[in-house]
């Protein structure tokens, strides 16, 4: 249920994981995670994007490393697996995301869900709230069209449809409760 393939059409290498650092811990965290894949700064403070061979194995390796080095937990904000990346074209962004979500709706089925957008960049151009409402409604309609009975839940949903916007690239993933339970650093803020 975790995306192992990097989507992506950006000019830079696609990423399949986004990691945030606590304030002032970006360099330390980047040194910690770079042993597990190829990581780079996203262009936004305390946000690192990377490509790992397999996201589940990355999460397990990071969890083991945090057990060995408990002080490093203070560096980590969250880890977000990414199933697809796409360029951010402000004029078509919501429709572009909807096209990808159409291919992912079957992953939700009868599970409870909500949409969470984290926007970095495009201030006053893309509205986080408006995107969450539009994309949530889109998913609701897509599920109904499949004969499902959608349920929106904000308190511990089965699935969170997570969209991470980092400037000119966005990442999309389905974050399942089981993953959040197994790895506490896979957070939905």
């Amino acid at each position: 249920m975790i995306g192992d393939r990097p989507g992506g059409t950006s000019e830079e290498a696609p990423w399949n994981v986004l990691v945030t650092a606590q304030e002032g811990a970006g360099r330390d965290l980047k040194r910690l995670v770079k042993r597990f894949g190829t990581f780079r700064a996203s262009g936004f403070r305390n946000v690192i994007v990377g490509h790992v061979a397999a996201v589940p194995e990355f999460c397990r390796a990071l969890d083991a490393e945090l057990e060995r080095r408990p002080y490093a937990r203070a560096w980590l904000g969250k880890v977000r697996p990414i199933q697809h990346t796409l360029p951010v074209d402000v004029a078509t962004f919501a429709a572009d995301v909807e096209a990808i979500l159409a291919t992912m709706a079957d992953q939700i089925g009868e599970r409870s869900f909500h949409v969470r957008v984290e926007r970095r960049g495009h201030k006053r151009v893309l509205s986080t709230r408006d995107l969450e409402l539009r994309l949530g409604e889109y998913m609701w309609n897509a599920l109904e069209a499949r004969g499902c009975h959608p349920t929106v839940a904000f308190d511990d949903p089965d699935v969170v449809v997570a969209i991470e916007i980092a400037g000119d690239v966005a990442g999309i993933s389905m974050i399942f409760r089981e993953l959040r339970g197994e790895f506490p650093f896979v957070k939905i803020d």
Side-chain angles (χ1 to χ4, degrees):
M1 291 192 208
I2 304 172
D4 288 337
R5 70 179 192 284
T9 54
S10 71
E11 291 182 21
E12 295 198 48
W15 33 278
N16 62 352
V17 66
L18 178 140
V19 180
T20 65
Q22 296 293 336
E23 189 61 41
R27 286 185 186 169
D28 292 326
L29 184 61
K30 189 174 178 185
R31 278 194 299 273
L32 178 75
V33 298
K34 74 178 184 177
R35 69 187 67 190
F36 306 118
T38 305
F39 287 86
R40 62 180 165 79
S42 68
F44 293 88
R45 186 179 182 144
N46 297 320
V47 179
I48 304 163
V49 295
H51 182 266
V52 296
V55 175
E57 284 74 17
F58 166 73
C59 288
R60 282 191 273 288
L62 179 59
D63 193 43
E65 188 65 20
L66 293 173
E67 284 294 317
R68 282 191 293 278
R69 300 168 65 181
Y71 59 87
R73 292 179 197 278
W75 302 341
L76 181 60
K78 70 176 176 188
V79 171
R80 183 68 52 85
I82 302 294
Q83 289 172 279
H84 297 275
T85 59
L86 70 153
V88 176
D89 178 341
V90 173
T92 63
F93 183 68
D96 295 342
V97 172
E98 288 171 354
I100 292 171
L101 292 180
T103 69
M104 301 174 79
D106 288 334
Q107 294 179 45
I108 296 176
E110 295 289 336
R111 296 176 177 100
S112 63
F113 79 98
H114 76 258
V115 174
R116 176 75 173 118
V117 175
E118 297 223 17
R119 180 193 49 75
R120 296 169 189 87
H122 304 288
K123 190 174 183 177
R124 295 186 192 92
V125 180
L126 290 176
S127 164
T128 299
R129 182 178 183 279
D130 291 348
L131 283 169
E132 287 176 343
L133 290 171
R134 176 178 171 168
L135 298 172
E137 183 176 338
Y138 176 83
M139 286 305 297
W140 179 279
N141 293 333
L143 291 167
E144 279 191 329
R146 287 169 168 74
C148 297
H149 301 91
T151 304
V152 172
F154 294 100
D155 185 29
D156 196 28
D158 296 321
V159 184
V160 176
V161 179
I163 295 110
E164 290 276 352
I165 303 170
D168 292 332
V169 181
I172 303 172
S173 60
M174 301 280 178
I175 309 294
F176 291 83
R177 179 186 294 129
E178 296 81 10
L179 180 66
R180 298 188 321 264
E182 185 176 357
F183 302 110
F185 48 75
V186 177
K187 301 175 187 175
I188 304 302
D189 299 328

